[in-house]
Structure formats: C-alpha cells, structure tokens
Amino acid sequence: MSELESVARRILNCTLCDLCQGRTHAVPGEGPESARIMLIGEGPGAQEDVQGRPFVGASGQFMLETLATIGLRRQDVFITNLVKCRPPGNRDPLPDEILMCSQTYLDLQIELLDPKIIITLGRFSLGRFVPQASISRVHGQPQSVGGRLIYPLLHPAAALRRPEWRQAFQVDVARLADLIKN
C-alpha cells in the first residue's frame, strides 16, 4: 500500500472532529499518484457523501466538462477537499474543522503528491493558501505560495448558480491551459 493510500484509509476511519458523526462516507479524494495537478474544493456535498467520491454531483459534472475543454480529464488530476466529511445541512465548514482536516490530511496529501499546480475551488480552499484574498477578486490569477503555483477558481457550484460566474469560471479554465503548457 502506498503512503497516499494509507492516508486515504486513515481518512475513511477518521473520528478527529464531529463531522464524522453525520457522514455516510468520508471522501479522501481520488486521482493518480503521479498527478501534477491537484484540485481542492471545500467539502463533500450530498452526492459525494453517498458515493464517497469528490465532485460527483452537478457542480462536479460542470467542472469536469469545463476542464475537458482544455484536455484535462478526471483521471489526469487528483481531486480532494479541505474537509473530508460533509458538514451537516451542507453548511460551511467551521475554521477548526478546516484546520484539523487540513493539517492532518490535506497537507500530507499535498506533500506526497507534490503537484505542480494546485487549483483551489472557491473561497474556503483559496483561504487555506492565501488567507486574506477574496475569490471574487483573484480568481483566474496565479498565486505563488510556498514555492507552489496556486490557481484560484470560483467554486463550480457557485458558477452554476450565477451566469456571470459561470462565464468567469470557463474563461479562467481556458487561461489555465497556458499555465499547464508552461
């Protein structure tokens, strides 16, 4: 078993915070261990909780369809979330939940994968790397953080709710193609 698989097993059995009490499945994330691109969302939604896989609902479908326009497929990237269990009622994850899960699991996943590009999806994910940044101001603008390239995108669920954000999401993904080439 690889170290990344070991982390996934620990996530599946995690009881470090109260989010474990309401979950159907923890969602460790998925993708090849050789992935050079890592996508990090906020937390599992209802479909993700049921299936135990990240971004399998409507927002995930939209995100993957948009990524496909630049030649990226689900099997090419590693997809995960800040918190690995669905917050009750789909509420925002609490700061202590984000901190616990990120320090215990996400940071280790990043270290093991060593991705060339981390794509943050939404404000919570961006906030983990660039705490004072506003996603509405910096989406689509690459950030260098700790020697890593962070590429902030609007959350695909938000993009589905607002037509202007949908277009911005698609434009930002199109710009991502140039970053990948370089």
Side-chain angles (χ1 to χ4, degrees):
M1 176 186 327
S2 74
E3 288 184 74
L4 200 57
E5 290 170 330
S6 177
V7 173
R9 284 188 188 227
R10 287 177 40 214
I11 292 168
L12 293 173
N13 296 302
C14 182
T15 58
L16 292 176
C17 78
D18 290 342
L19 289 181
C20 70
Q21 295 173 7
R23 74 178 179 221
T24 304
H25 294 101
V27 183
E30 64 184 35
E33 293 190 18
S34 60
R36 306 317 283 157
I37 299 171
M38 183 178 202
L39 293 98
I40 303 173
E42 176 181 313
Q47 288 300 314
E48 291 76 13
D49 180 58
V50 169
Q51 295 185 40
R53 298 182 64 212
F55 286 92
V56 292
S59 67
Q61 183 176 347
F62 167 66
M63 177 185 77
L64 292 169
E65 288 170 358
T66 306
L67 289 173
T69 65
I70 63 165
L72 280 181
R73 301 168 302 162
R74 184 178 195 102
Q75 60 264 32
D76 300 327
V77 298
F78 192 90
I79 307 171
T80 192
N81 286 295
L82 288 175
V83 296
K84 311 303 186 182
C85 298
R86 182 177 188 229
N90 212 35
R91 68 161 167 76
D92 292 341
L94 301 175
D96 62 325
E97 295 164 345
I98 292 171
L99 189 63
M100 175 67 71
C101 212
S102 295
Q103 288 183 342
T104 307
Y105 302 118
L106 180 64
D107 292 349
L108 186 54
Q109 288 176 312
I110 292 169
E111 179 184 323
L112 292 170
L113 283 166
D114 193 25
K116 295 295 180 203
I117 300 173
I118 294 177
I119 299 170
T120 60
L121 301 164
R123 65 184 168 112
F124 287 97
S125 181
L126 173 63
R128 177 72 176 133
F129 299 95
V130 190
Q132 301 306 315
S134 164
I135 188 64
S136 61
R137 289 193 192 109
V138 302
H139 66 86
Q141 298 173 30
Q143 312 284 315
S144 179
V145 178
R148 295 200 183 277
L149 182 63
I150 308 297
Y151 191 74
L153 290 177
L154 296 165
H155 196 285
L160 283 177
R161 288 192 296 270
R162 296 183 61 181
E164 67 274 17
W165 288 359
R166 181 185 195 112
Q167 184 177 10
F169 185 88
Q170 292 167 324
V171 167
D172 291 346
V173 166
R175 283 190 208 134
L176 177 61
D178 289 334
L179 279 179
I180 293 170
K181 286 178 191 170
N182 297 327

